[in-house]
Amino acid sequence: QVQFVESGGGLVQPGGSLRLSCVGSRYMFRAYTMAWYRQTPGNQRELVGEISSSGRTNYVDSVKGRFTISRDNAAKSAYLQMNNLKPEDTADYYCNFPDTPESWGHGTQVNVSS
């Protein structure tokens, strides 16, 4: 059973923007912290940022000021607004619950290139 469906990736030029979406299926979705991760070939998946059940957010330094995570609990969804994208943001992006993770979804590919 697919636990997450990520979407919204694509090819964008440096400096551009994308908005990723993640739809979950967990009961009481609203009670859990949600996180976005990314992975490049040959590397481990890394945390990009997270949003708590109360809406508090944290980000890795490399995306602070450029990325924004939000959530819509009624829709069991989380979003990643990415602005001023850089080539080093190129990766497959995933969402999950950082504290009680479930099976990973298929992710959505982001390619930042001119």
Short mmCIF file of all heavy atoms in Angstrom, two decimals, residues 37-72:
data_model
loop_
_atom_site.label_atom_id
_atom_site.label_comp_id
_atom_site.label_asym_id
_atom_site.label_seq_id
_atom_site.Cartn_x
_atom_site.Cartn_y
_atom_site.Cartn_z
N TYR A 37 12.31 15.17 2.39
CA TYR A 37 13.66 14.65 2.22
C TYR A 37 14.03 14.74 0.75
O TYR A 37 13.17 14.87 -0.12
CB TYR A 37 13.74 13.19 2.66
CG TYR A 37 13.31 12.92 4.07
CD1 TYR A 37 11.97 12.82 4.41
CD2 TYR A 37 14.26 12.75 5.08
CE1 TYR A 37 11.57 12.56 5.72
CE2 TYR A 37 13.86 12.48 6.39
CZ TYR A 37 12.53 12.39 6.70
OH TYR A 37 12.14 12.13 7.99
N ARG A 38 15.32 14.61 0.47
CA ARG A 38 15.76 14.51 -0.91
C ARG A 38 16.94 13.56 -1.00
O ARG A 38 17.68 13.35 -0.03
CB ARG A 38 16.11 15.88 -1.48
CG ARG A 38 17.26 16.60 -0.82
CD ARG A 38 17.38 18.02 -1.38
NE ARG A 38 18.49 18.76 -0.77
CZ ARG A 38 18.71 20.06 -1.00
NH1 ARG A 38 17.89 20.74 -1.83
NH2 ARG A 38 19.71 20.67 -0.41
N GLN A 39 17.09 13.02 -2.20
CA GLN A 39 18.13 12.03 -2.43
C GLN A 39 18.67 12.16 -3.83
O GLN A 39 17.90 12.30 -4.79
CB GLN A 39 17.59 10.62 -2.19
CG GLN A 39 18.64 9.53 -2.25
CD GLN A 39 18.07 8.17 -1.87
OE1 GLN A 39 16.87 7.93 -2.01
NE2 GLN A 39 18.92 7.28 -1.37
N THR A 40 19.99 12.12 -3.94
CA THR A 40 20.65 12.10 -5.24
C THR A 40 21.31 10.73 -5.42
O THR A 40 21.60 10.05 -4.44
CB THR A 40 21.69 13.21 -5.34
OG1 THR A 40 22.61 13.11 -4.22
CG2 THR A 40 21.03 14.58 -5.31
N PRO A 41 21.55 10.35 -6.66
CA PRO A 41 22.12 9.01 -6.92
C PRO A 41 23.41 8.76 -6.16
O PRO A 41 24.30 9.61 -6.14
CB PRO A 41 22.35 9.02 -8.43
CG PRO A 41 21.33 9.98 -8.95
CD PRO A 41 21.24 11.06 -7.91
N GLY A 42 23.49 7.64 -5.50
CA GLY A 42 24.69 7.26 -4.77
C GLY A 42 24.82 7.86 -3.39
O GLY A 42 25.80 7.60 -2.69
N ASN A 43 23.84 8.65 -3.00
CA ASN A 43 23.89 9.31 -1.69
C ASN A 43 22.69 8.91 -0.83
O ASN A 43 21.66 8.47 -1.34
CB ASN A 43 23.91 10.82 -1.85
CG ASN A 43 25.18 11.30 -2.51
OD1 ASN A 43 26.28 10.99 -2.06
ND2 ASN A 43 25.03 12.05 -3.58
N GLN A 44 22.85 9.09 0.47
CA GLN A 44 21.74 8.80 1.37
C GLN A 44 20.69 9.89 1.29
O GLN A 44 20.97 11.04 0.92
CB GLN A 44 22.26 8.69 2.81
CG GLN A 44 23.08 7.45 3.08
CD GLN A 44 23.36 7.25 4.56
OE1 GLN A 44 23.37 8.22 5.33
NE2 GLN A 44 23.59 6.03 4.97
N ARG A 45 19.48 9.49 1.61
CA ARG A 45 18.40 10.45 1.68
C ARG A 45 18.68 11.43 2.82
O ARG A 45 19.09 11.03 3.90
CB ARG A 45 17.09 9.70 1.92
CG ARG A 45 15.84 10.50 1.67
CD ARG A 45 14.63 9.60 1.78
NE ARG A 45 14.43 8.78 0.60
CZ ARG A 45 14.33 7.46 0.60
NH1 ARG A 45 14.46 6.79 1.74
NH2 ARG A 45 14.11 6.78 -0.51
N GLU A 46 18.49 12.73 2.55
CA GLU A 46 18.75 13.73 3.57
C GLU A 46 17.49 14.53 3.88
O GLU A 46 16.64 14.74 3.02
CB GLU A 46 19.86 14.70 3.12
CG GLU A 46 19.51 15.56 1.94
CD GLU A 46 20.51 16.70 1.72
OE1 GLU A 46 21.43 16.88 2.53
OE2 GLU A 46 20.33 17.43 0.72
N LEU A 47 17.42 14.96 5.12
CA LEU A 47 16.29 15.77 5.55
C LEU A 47 16.42 17.18 4.98
O LEU A 47 17.47 17.80 5.06
CB LEU A 47 16.26 15.83 7.07
CG LEU A 47 15.15 16.67 7.70
CD1 LEU A 47 13.79 16.05 7.47
CD2 LEU A 47 15.41 16.85 9.19
N VAL A 48 15.34 17.68 4.41
CA VAL A 48 15.29 19.05 3.90
C VAL A 48 14.67 19.98 4.95
O VAL A 48 15.16 21.07 5.22
CB VAL A 48 14.48 19.13 2.60
CG1 VAL A 48 14.29 20.57 2.16
CG2 VAL A 48 15.17 18.31 1.51
N GLY A 49 13.59 19.54 5.53
CA GLY A 49 12.91 20.33 6.54
C GLY A 49 11.70 19.59 7.05
O GLY A 49 11.32 18.55 6.50
N GLU A 50 11.08 20.12 8.08
CA GLU A 50 9.93 19.47 8.68
C GLU A 50 8.95 20.49 9.23
O GLU A 50 9.32 21.65 9.46
CB GLU A 50 10.34 18.51 9.78
CG GLU A 50 11.13 19.16 10.91
CD GLU A 50 11.64 18.13 11.92
OE1 GLU A 50 11.84 16.96 11.56
OE2 GLU A 50 11.85 18.53 13.07
N ILE A 51 7.72 20.05 9.41
CA ILE A 51 6.68 20.89 9.98
C ILE A 51 5.96 20.09 11.06
O ILE A 51 5.51 18.97 10.81
CB ILE A 51 5.71 21.41 8.89
CG1 ILE A 51 4.67 22.35 9.49
CG2 ILE A 51 5.06 20.27 8.12
CD1 ILE A 51 3.90 23.13 8.44
N SER A 52 5.86 20.68 12.23
CA SER A 52 5.23 19.99 13.34
C SER A 52 3.71 20.03 13.21
O SER A 52 3.16 20.71 12.34
CB SER A 52 5.66 20.64 14.67
OG SER A 52 5.04 21.91 14.82
N SER A 53 3.06 19.32 14.12
CA SER A 53 1.60 19.31 14.11
C SER A 53 1.04 20.71 14.39
O SER A 53 -0.07 21.04 13.95
CB SER A 53 1.08 18.32 15.16
OG SER A 53 1.57 18.66 16.45
N SER A 54 1.80 21.54 15.07
CA SER A 54 1.36 22.90 15.37
C SER A 54 1.77 23.91 14.31
O SER A 54 1.44 25.09 14.41
CB SER A 54 1.93 23.34 16.72
OG SER A 54 3.33 23.38 16.68
N GLY A 55 2.52 23.44 13.30
CA GLY A 55 2.91 24.31 12.20
C GLY A 55 4.30 24.91 12.31
O GLY A 55 4.70 25.70 11.46
N ARG A 56 5.03 24.54 13.35
CA ARG A 56 6.39 25.04 13.48
C ARG A 56 7.29 24.33 12.47
O ARG A 56 7.20 23.12 12.28
CB ARG A 56 6.91 24.80 14.89
CG ARG A 56 8.28 25.39 15.17
CD ARG A 56 8.67 25.13 16.61
NE ARG A 56 8.71 23.71 16.89
CZ ARG A 56 8.29 23.17 18.03
NH1 ARG A 56 7.76 23.93 18.98
NH2 ARG A 56 8.38 21.87 18.22
N THR A 57 8.17 25.10 11.84
CA THR A 57 9.01 24.54 10.79
C THR A 57 10.49 24.65 11.14
O THR A 57 10.91 25.56 11.86
CB THR A 57 8.76 25.24 9.45
OG1 THR A 57 8.94 26.66 9.62
CG2 THR A 57 7.36 24.97 8.94
N ASN A 58 11.26 23.72 10.58
CA ASN A 58 12.72 23.73 10.67
C ASN A 58 13.27 23.32 9.33
O ASN A 58 12.68 22.46 8.65
CB ASN A 58 13.21 22.76 11.76
CG ASN A 58 12.93 23.28 13.15
OD1 ASN A 58 13.44 24.30 13.57
ND2 ASN A 58 12.10 22.55 13.88
N TYR A 59 14.42 23.88 8.97
CA TYR A 59 15.02 23.60 7.68
C TYR A 59 16.52 23.40 7.83
O TYR A 59 17.16 23.95 8.74
CB TYR A 59 14.78 24.77 6.70
CG TYR A 59 13.33 25.14 6.53
CD1 TYR A 59 12.76 26.15 7.29
CD2 TYR A 59 12.54 24.48 5.59
CE1 TYR A 59 11.43 26.50 7.13
CE2 TYR A 59 11.21 24.82 5.43
CZ TYR A 59 10.65 25.82 6.20
OH TYR A 59 9.34 26.15 6.04
N VAL A 60 17.09 22.65 6.90
CA VAL A 60 18.54 22.58 6.85
C VAL A 60 19.06 23.91 6.35
O VAL A 60 18.36 24.66 5.65
CB VAL A 60 19.02 21.44 5.94
CG1 VAL A 60 18.60 20.09 6.49
CG2 VAL A 60 18.49 21.61 4.53
N ASP A 61 20.28 24.22 6.73
CA ASP A 61 20.83 25.55 6.42
C ASP A 61 20.85 25.84 4.91
O ASP A 61 20.65 26.99 4.50
CB ASP A 61 22.25 25.66 6.98
CG ASP A 61 22.27 25.80 8.49
OD1 ASP A 61 21.20 26.08 9.07
OD2 ASP A 61 23.34 25.62 9.08
N SER A 62 21.06 24.82 4.12
CA SER A 62 21.22 25.03 2.68
C SER A 62 19.94 25.52 1.99
O SER A 62 20.00 26.03 0.87
CB SER A 62 21.72 23.76 2.00
OG SER A 62 20.80 22.70 2.19
N VAL A 63 18.79 25.36 2.64
CA VAL A 63 17.53 25.77 2.00
C VAL A 63 16.83 26.88 2.76
O VAL A 63 15.79 27.39 2.30
CB VAL A 63 16.57 24.58 1.82
CG1 VAL A 63 17.26 23.43 1.09
CG2 VAL A 63 15.97 24.13 3.13
N LYS A 64 17.36 27.28 3.90
CA LYS A 64 16.72 28.34 4.70
C LYS A 64 16.58 29.61 3.88
O LYS A 64 17.51 30.03 3.19
CB LYS A 64 17.54 28.61 5.96
CG LYS A 64 17.34 27.60 7.05
CD LYS A 64 18.16 27.95 8.29
CE LYS A 64 17.94 26.92 9.38
NZ LYS A 64 18.78 27.20 10.58
N GLY A 65 15.41 30.21 3.96
CA GLY A 65 15.14 31.43 3.22
C GLY A 65 14.69 31.21 1.79
O GLY A 65 14.26 32.14 1.12
N ARG A 66 14.79 29.97 1.32
CA ARG A 66 14.38 29.65 -0.05
C ARG A 66 13.21 28.67 -0.09
O ARG A 66 12.37 28.76 -0.99
CB ARG A 66 15.56 29.05 -0.83
CG ARG A 66 16.76 29.96 -0.93
CD ARG A 66 17.80 29.39 -1.89
NE ARG A 66 18.34 28.11 -1.46
CZ ARG A 66 18.26 26.98 -2.18
NH1 ARG A 66 17.66 26.99 -3.37
NH2 ARG A 66 18.79 25.85 -1.71
N PHE A 67 13.17 27.75 0.85
CA PHE A 67 12.13 26.71 0.87
C PHE A 67 11.16 26.98 2.01
O PHE A 67 11.57 27.42 3.09
CB PHE A 67 12.75 25.33 1.06
CG PHE A 67 13.51 24.80 -0.11
CD1 PHE A 67 13.86 25.59 -1.19
CD2 PHE A 67 13.90 23.46 -0.14
CE1 PHE A 67 14.57 25.08 -2.27
CE2 PHE A 67 14.60 22.93 -1.21
CZ PHE A 67 14.94 23.75 -2.27
N THR A 68 9.90 26.65 1.79
CA THR A 68 8.87 26.79 2.82
C THR A 68 7.98 25.55 2.82
O THR A 68 7.46 25.17 1.77
CB THR A 68 8.00 28.03 2.58
OG1 THR A 68 8.83 29.20 2.52
CG2 THR A 68 6.98 28.19 3.69
N ILE A 69 7.83 24.97 4.00
CA ILE A 69 6.95 23.81 4.15
C ILE A 69 5.64 24.26 4.78
O ILE A 69 5.62 25.06 5.72
CB ILE A 69 7.61 22.74 5.05
CG1 ILE A 69 8.89 22.22 4.39
CG2 ILE A 69 6.64 21.58 5.28
CD1 ILE A 69 9.68 21.26 5.26
N SER A 70 4.55 23.74 4.25
CA SER A 70 3.23 23.99 4.81
C SER A 70 2.43 22.69 4.80
O SER A 70 2.88 21.69 4.24
CB SER A 70 2.51 25.08 4.02
OG SER A 70 2.36 24.70 2.66
N ARG A 71 1.28 22.72 5.45
CA ARG A 71 0.46 21.51 5.49
C ARG A 71 -1.01 21.87 5.49
O ARG A 71 -1.40 22.96 5.91
CB ARG A 71 0.82 20.67 6.71
CG ARG A 71 0.52 21.31 8.05
CD ARG A 71 1.13 20.50 9.20
NE ARG A 71 0.57 19.15 9.29
CZ ARG A 71 1.14 18.16 9.95
NH1 ARG A 71 2.28 18.35 10.59
NH2 ARG A 71 0.55 16.97 10.01
N ASP A 72 -1.81 20.94 4.99
CA ASP A 72 -3.26 21.04 5.00
C ASP A 72 -3.77 19.74 5.61
O ASP A 72 -3.85 18.73 4.92
CB ASP A 72 -3.79 21.25 3.58
CG ASP A 72 -5.31 21.35 3.53
OD1 ASP A 72 -5.98 21.04 4.53
OD2 ASP A 72 -5.83 21.72 2.47
#
